[in-house]
Amino acid sequence: MSAEKDVSKTAAEEYTIKFIPPQSGDVKTIRLPRNLFKYGVISLLAGALLFVGAFSYAVYSTFANRNGAAEIEDLRQVNSIQQEQLLQLAKKANNLQEEMNQLKKLEEDIRRLSGAQPMQENTQDNGGNSQGVDPATHDGQGGPLNIPTVQNVNDTLSVVEQGLAQRRQSLTALKEELSQRQQALGLSVVSLPGGTTPSIWPARGVVSSPYGLRWNGSDFHPGIDIANDMGTPILATADGTVRVAGWNDGGYGNMVDIDHGNGIMTRYGHAMQVAVTAGQHVHRGQVIAYMGSTGFSTGPHVHYEVRINGQPVNPSAYLH
């Protein structure tokens, strides 16, 4: 009786799995303890849940990465479009600037042919302080490469706007002068006394590259280039203290920086030879260097900048 109870108890604590072949053959029997079967089922369910969770996370990560990549690509396309639009705007601003220079040259020709008085302006962006220098043989340009920015384009458009106002005023005066048939008076160049505000040309020569956008809008030129023969003297345009005198790795070649006080600084680049030293006090009209073609340059010229509180401005307003 006790043996029967033990057998019955053992059978109750086991699960029997039988494998019956479709045709005649031996029946396979597997007996599993109840606890082992229970743990096996639990493990199987847990594994299934883990598999479903891992699969769901993988699917989610795949879609998230795809969406992130798509957003990055969209941002790249938008940035590319904006850069292209800025480049096109820079080219248009550059074309407007060139047309303004051509209009100014045309007015100069009309005044010369008609015998009218020369333009009463402080700048000569196209002719420069040439005094007999042939622009056909002096066309050196240079300076550091700067990718145009929104601020650069705005600065160039401001220069064009100012030029339009000057042209309007100058042409109105020319019309009045021609209508009165008055003979023009020659405009002499007067030497200015010493001072800390730049107000003379840094060298004799022709302006081979004005301030603003150039090279079809692909570069912003922070100064003006005045071209002449190698060794032409370069003058300090105002009293001040030399801060830099020597080689510059940023494309200026042999360079001189002069601090004039009140946040005003002038820069002279591409010199063949520097004639001053850092810390030296110089006066307006003093020779500080000699024209060359060092650094990023296509020919002998001086790259001249005027900076106010570190920001380049159009030097034309300081040329007399």
Side-chain angles (χ1 to χ4, degrees), residues 119-314:
M119 290 186 294
Q120 301 289 329
E121 293 188 355
N122 293 333
T123 67
Q124 297 182 9
D125 287 342
N126 281 333
N129 187 25
S130 58
Q131 299 182 9
V133 179
D134 185 5
T137 58
H138 295 87
D139 58 354
Q141 299 183 21
L145 291 175
N146 294 281
I147 298 176
T149 64
V150 174
Q151 184 62 45
N152 295 156
V153 176
N154 287 336
D155 290 345
T156 301
L157 291 176
S158 297
V159 171
V160 173
E161 183 179 10
Q162 295 171 4
L164 282 174
Q166 291 180 353
R167 293 280 66 73
R168 186 181 299 110
Q169 181 179 1
S170 183
L171 289 172
T172 300
L174 176 60
K175 177 182 177 181
E176 181 179 353
E177 183 178 350
L178 292 178
S179 66
Q180 297 175 1
R181 299 183 181 279
Q182 293 179 344
Q183 197 67 22
L185 297 175
L187 183 62
S188 59
V189 179
V190 180
S191 297
L192 298 176
T196 58
T197 300
S199 57
I200 64 173
W201 287 82
R204 294 178 56 186
V206 293
V207 175
S208 55
S209 182
Y211 174 89
L213 294 170
R214 60 179 179 177
W215 300 340
N216 203 22
S218 62
D219 175 65
F220 179 78
H221 193 220
I224 63 171
D225 290 342
I226 303 171
N228 204 335
D229 294 328
M230 189 77 70
T232 299
I234 300 173
L235 312 178
T237 57
D239 297 351
T241 302
V242 177
R243 296 303 181 194
V244 178
W247 183 260
N248 172 269
D249 292 328
Y252 290 98
N254 287 326
M255 181 185 77
V256 176
D257 282 355
I258 301 178
D259 184 0
H260 305 284
N262 298 318
I264 303 175
M265 187 270 285
T266 54
R267 174 167 292 175
Y268 314 78
H270 309 298
M272 176 183 71
Q273 180 181 355
V274 173
V276 292
T277 58
Q280 179 179 345
H281 185 75
V282 295
H283 300 283
R284 175 179 293 163
Q286 180 177 339
V287 175
I288 58 172
Y290 296 94
M291 193 175 293
S293 186
T294 57
F296 185 76
S297 172
T298 63
H301 72 287
V302 57
H303 171 86
Y304 177 61
E305 292 182 21
V306 176
R307 290 176 174 259
I308 306 297
N309 295 323
Q311 297 298 319
V313 298
N314 192 348

